[in-house]
Amino acid sequence: MGKRSKAAMTAALVAGSLLTGVPQAGADAATRGGAGAAPPAGGALVSGVDLDTVTIPELQARMARGSLTASALTRAYLRRIESIDPKIHSVLYTSPTALRQAAASDARHRRGRTLGPLDGIPVLLKDNVDTRDLPTTAGSLALAGAPPATDAELVTRLRAAGAVILGKTNLSEWANFRAAKPTSGWSAVGGQTRNPYALDRNPCGSSAGSAAALAASLAQVAVGTETDGSIVCPAGMNGVVGHKPSLGLVSQAGVVPISAEQDTAGPMARNVTDTALTLSVLSGDRYASPQGLTSSGLRGKRIGLWRLPSLGAAVEAAMTRTATRLRRAGAVVVEVTPPYQARLAELEFPALLSEFHRDIDAYLSTRQGPRNLAELVAFNRTHPAEQSCFAGQELFEQALAAPPTTDPGYRAMRAELRDLSRRSLDETLAAHDLDAIAAPTNPPAWTTDCARGDNDVIPSSTPAAVAGYPSLSVPAATVDGLPVGLLLMAGDRQDSALLSLGAAVEHRLKAWRAPQYRQ
């Protein structure tokens, strides 16, 4: 499928105008409200607009006709952050310029000179993505001083596309690469993000705030980051869509790193259409147009189902029901087991330790505060707030002792990882002539417990993460009222085909449900 302009992409995705107008509201930029605030009853209705289900093409169609403004949409999301986020603690900061950004978009819409599908669309960024006008902390007090000097490249792209940078989201501190038994969604800066479906349950990590905010309809789209599972697991556990792009499709310049060999930022949303449109901007339009995402449907598509009994009998039963629904829609579903998983699990962590030491030292040298990993370890030892949920920083200490990335042993390990992970997917796809491999993204959310830490041995994300291949989590089922995602994986640079398939799966499963914020 050839590349198309962003304007043509938007026109192709518009499926009609389903919105009614949103009047101008009187609120200014919001900050987090008091801890006792309760979520509103009912759905996310704002003057007749259902923020839970509305898509970007529907919003843009309304803006083009003048019956909706970016300012009204931004105010609506700011109000929801103020009223709902005290329950879930997903948003760290909102931008004081959000309404000015929206007003500039409104002026472009009036002149008929919009900048693309995200013009006027409110976006939340994970707080490990550099922003020159907002703090970027990776959840750590060590970076809570002055903001970075420049935006991350992906933020520059979003601004150039007219997106409204609404604010920053909480995350697992240092993207869950600090302690041996961390608690996902906790950071010293933001505290504990809660799962909107059950407030005592975990949102998974490390893009916990981005996923929870989307589940609560606090923004139209969000940006997460992943090294292995950090976009797709939170997406699955919070019942939203998350796409881990092919490695290198989205620039990592200005994103707090773990490993250049696996890190990528990626889009998250409540539907696949918005996810695809956001990727088109994040990737600088190098990504093939998502025109006609659902037009081909599932008939004749071949999907390999990778069962993971370790996630429990309830997830197994949910995957069986999902496979039945896909078959009824015309898909051919065959059971597969990608090879080499034990070896990948053995090698990945030691390689990441070496890469983290190299890459975090390079990043810290650009910021005020600790200038390298050794200074960061010392900072954590002398700041009790960094130890208020869990004290450990075993991964930091192991990274300090890990061999450098110039070491022949490390190089052999990473080469084997790259080879086996790609063969794991390529051989499985070829052996069964598959369009994609599918697996459960996550188990039902576990209870959050700082003393115990996470219960998150979830192997489905690893092959695509290590290979640098794309993966996409879409809502698939609920178990005891908690979301379970279906993780789709495809070959290198098959992002467009994967998103198209994901849209067809989403259309068939129709598994998204608004959260209930139950205690």
Side-chain angles (χ1 to χ4, degrees):
M1 187 183 300
K3 295 180 181 177
R4 300 174 186 267
S5 69
K6 296 185 182 77
M9 182 187 310
T10 303
L13 286 170
V14 171
S17 56
L18 303 182
L19 292 178
T20 56
V22 179
Q24 295 282 348
D28 288 322
T31 56
R32 179 178 288 163
L45 293 173
V46 181
S47 300
V49 177
D50 189 349
L51 296 179
D52 283 343
T53 59
V54 70
T55 66
I56 288 173
E58 292 163 359
L59 292 170
Q60 291 293 359
R62 266 308 208 186
M63 290 182 190
R65 289 198 301 273
S67 57
L68 173 70
T69 67
S71 295
L73 182 65
T74 300
R75 285 190 179 96
Y77 278 124
L78 289 170
R79 283 177 164 175
R80 286 185 63 78
I81 291 170
E82 188 174 35
S83 65
I84 294 174
D85 200 57
K87 281 285 184 183
I88 60 175
H89 302 292
S90 64
V91 179
L92 291 176
Y93 340 96
T94 54
S95 173
T97 70
L99 288 173
R100 291 202 296 275
Q101 297 173 57
S105 176
D106 289 335
R108 290 191 294 271
H109 277 89
R110 287 193 298 270
R111 295 194 303 267
R113 299 182 65 182
T114 57
L115 300 173
L118 293 196
D119 203 335
I121 302 300
V123 179
L124 284 169
L125 304 173
K126 185 176 178 180
D127 196 35
N128 62 349
V129 177
D130 282 358
T131 44
R132 65 179 186 269
D133 55 350
L134 289 169
T136 301
T137 69
S140 171
L141 297 173
L143 296 182
T150 59
D151 285 335
E153 184 175 332
L154 73 87
V155 178
T156 300
R157 293 189 185 281
L158 287 167
R159 294 191 199 274
V164 175
I165 305 301
L166 193 63
K168 305 291 285 287
T169 58
N170 197 22
L171 69 160
S172 309
E173 186 170 317
W174 296 108
N176 259 355
F177 208 81
R178 187 191 111 180
K181 288 297 291 183
T183 297
S184 285
W186 179 87
S187 74
V189 171
Q192 180 65 54
T193 295
R194 296 168 148 188
N195 190 310
Y197 287 86
L199 298 177
D200 67 334
R201 300 301 178 107
N202 199 267
C204 202
S206 62
S207 303
S210 294
L214 287 171
S217 297
L218 305 186
Q220 190 66 27
V221 295
V223 173
T225 67
E226 175 163 331
T227 305
D228 185 346
S230 284
I231 289 174
V232 296
C233 182
M237 206 163 283
N238 291 273
V240 299
V241 176
H243 177 52
K244 185 203 80 70
S246 293
L247 186 67
L249 192 61
V250 177
S251 171
Q252 282 301 106
V255 179
V256 182
I258 291 177
S259 163
E261 279 73 17
Q262 294 183 207
D263 289 351
T264 180
M268 306 174 76
R270 286 181 292 279
N271 59 77
V272 176
T273 294
D274 289 4
T275 304
L277 288 171
T278 305
L279 179 62
S280 74
V281 171
L282 296 179
S283 63
D285 219 16
R286 290 175 287 160
Y287 156 76
S289 163
Q291 182 180 10
L293 278 176
T294 61
S295 60
S296 60
L298 287 171
R299 187 158 302 280
K301 298 296 184 183
R302 296 183 58 84
I303 299 172
L305 178 60
W306 178 20
R307 291 184 179 274
L308 293 170
S310 62
L311 299 188
V315 174
E316 275 280 278
M319 290 299 104
T320 298
R321 293 191 299 271
T322 297
T324 298
R325 297 185 69 184
L326 297 179
R327 288 187 178 109
R328 287 174 180 167
V332 177
V333 181
V334 299
E335 298 204 4
V336 301
T337 302
Y340 317 124
Q341 299 311 303
R343 184 61 171 163
L344 291 177
E346 179 184 352
L347 295 177
E348 182 187 20
F349 178 65
L352 292 177
L353 289 172
S354 295
E355 292 153 4
F356 178 72
H357 191 182
R358 174 197 66 197
D359 294 344
I360 200 64
D361 274 3
Y363 177 82
L364 290 174
S365 70
T366 71
R367 297 291 306 275
Q368 297 182 22
R371 302 293 287 178
N372 55 48
L373 181 57
E375 291 185 13
L376 181 57
V377 167
F379 178 95
N380 289 339
R381 288 172 178 161
T382 57
H383 287 75
E386 287 290 345
Q387 306 166 35
S388 59
C389 180
F390 51 86
Q393 51 179 335
E394 297 90 347
L395 272 60
F396 282 4
E397 292 162 347
Q398 291 172 39
L400 284 173
T405 55
T406 55
D407 179 78
Y410 157 78
R411 290 183 173 180
M413 186 162 43
R414 175 48 74 180
E416 186 178 356
L417 275 167
R418 186 176 297 108
D419 175 61
L420 291 182
S421 59
R422 294 179 179 181
R423 287 172 54 195
S424 174
L425 296 177
D426 291 342
E427 291 173 8
T428 304
L429 290 163
H432 301 276
D433 192 24
L434 300 176
D435 293 284
I437 298 167
T441 309
N442 60 285
W446 53 84
T447 54
T448 296
D449 185 336
C450 282
R452 183 199 66 219
D454 284 340
N455 180 24
D456 68 339
V457 180
I458 308 170
S460 56
S461 63
T462 296
V466 178
Y469 287 5
S471 61
L472 175 73
S473 183
V474 297
T478 57
V479 174
D480 297 328
L482 297 168
V484 172
L486 183 70
L487 186 67
L488 301 169
M489 294 160 274
D492 191 27
R493 302 289 165 157
Q494 295 301 305
D495 299 69
S496 179
L498 188 65
L499 286 160
S500 293
L501 179 64
V505 170
E506 173 189 54
H507 180 73
R508 179 62 182 177
L509 298 181
K510 295 182 172 66
W512 191 87
R513 299 290 184 273
Q516 299 301 310
Y517 310 97
R518 70 179 194 240
Q519 295 288 344

